[in-house]
Amino acid sequence: MLILLPPSEGKTPAVTGSAFDPDKLHFPGLTDARKKVLAALAEASAADDAHTILGVGPSLAAEVRRNAVLHNEPCAPAHRIYSGVLYDALGYADMTPAQQAKADAAVVVISGLWGALGFSDPIPAYRLSMAVKLPETGKLASFWKKHLTGVLDEYSAGHLVVDCRSSTYAAAWGPEPSTAAAVNVFQVRNGKRTVVSHFAKHTRGELARHLLTRDGSDPATPEELLAAAQEKWEAELVPATARKPFALNIILA
């Protein structure tokens, strides 16, 4: 089982730690592409129109400045750098050592800067969304799709892929539809289903935690994933098509 997560927009910077070393990240086949994006981000972040390029407001000026010197910033495991609703719900710090080891092995974070990361990979805090179009790379989702496809197709072969990404990050790579399930979260109000972003992030984090901490074997098929989700939620499974994976729909009352 592999669990795909998006990064958080906000990050918790490491106070101490070693400087960034690209050789310590998973997926070494992405190293050259990562270096290209790092250089493009540093250049864009030093430009007069950096905030416009990165799509951020003046309140994030310090984070934009940090983007230009990431090689000198202290690093921490990705699961500590990423914060926010989904990661709070996942609760890595409260897991047992065995559960944390399972998370380190199962979770892959899809990132606008790094492409794909292991959950324990040491990275600095940064600010860059997959929706950004850098002058040197073009739109990051398109840039990474060219580089991630071969690497992640091979890495995910033989695994059930539980896709907890938002659509922005899902655009960078699509797993084999027959062995993957995209997680959707709905609320029912006045008999109608609606999508609420905050609750979707929280519930995806809760689902990831449930899959990593529950007793028993990991789900190996979309049908087994549905059964695992139904241990905690009302859920349904929409069949895959030739181009779209299964959809695991979690329905909140």
Side-chain angles (χ1 to χ4, degrees), residues 87-216:
Y87 287 88
D88 287 347
L90 188 148
Y92 181 95
D94 297 330
M95 292 180 177
T96 67
Q99 292 166 349
Q100 289 178 343
K102 185 175 180 179
D104 292 345
V107 173
V108 175
V109 181
I110 304 301
S111 161
L113 179 53
W114 315 112
L117 287 171
F119 213 30
S120 61
D121 287 358
I123 57 171
Y126 63 95
R127 191 78 185 197
L128 182 65
S129 168
M130 186 69 82
V132 167
K133 180 179 180 180
L134 292 175
E136 298 300 317
T137 65
K139 191 171 181 180
L140 288 169
S142 300
F143 173 87
W144 280 118
K145 190 169 187 177
K146 294 182 293 184
H147 296 281
L148 290 177
T149 298
V151 171
L152 293 184
D153 282 356
E154 180 179 357
Y155 189 77
S156 63
H159 296 280
L160 170 67
V161 177
V162 183
D163 193 348
C164 295
R165 297 173 295 171
S166 59
S167 59
T168 300
Y169 290 88
W173 175 68
E176 164 57 41
S178 64
T179 56
V183 179
N184 303 311
V185 181
F186 299 94
Q187 282 189 303
V188 178
R189 291 290 182 268
N190 299 319
K192 294 183 178 180
R193 291 184 183 182
T194 60
V195 177
V196 181
S197 177
H198 176 86
F199 289 108
K201 291 178 182 178
H202 182 82
T203 305
R204 285 170 178 151
E206 287 188 320
L207 175 66
R209 182 181 178 87
H210 178 60
L211 295 175
L212 294 167
T213 60
R214 62 190 287 274
D215 294 330

Side-chain angles (χ1 to χ4, degrees), residues 4-80:
L4 301 182
L5 298 182
S8 58
E9 290 303 316
K11 317 290 189 299
T12 301
V15 177
T16 61
S18 59
F20 175 68
D21 182 351
D23 293 332
K24 292 184 178 180
L25 304 184
H26 279 72
F27 312 111
L30 301 176
T31 297
D32 289 344
R34 288 167 175 153
K35 289 179 178 178
K36 184 172 182 178
V37 179
L38 268 169
L41 176 60
E43 183 175 346
S45 298
D48 292 339
D49 59 346
H51 290 261
T52 299
I53 295 172
L54 299 178
V56 299
S59 64
L60 298 178
E63 295 186 30
V64 172
R65 288 194 298 269
R66 185 171 59 220
N67 279 345
V69 292
L70 289 180
H71 281 95
N72 299 321
E73 290 293 303
C75 294
H79 57 72
R80 283 175 47 196

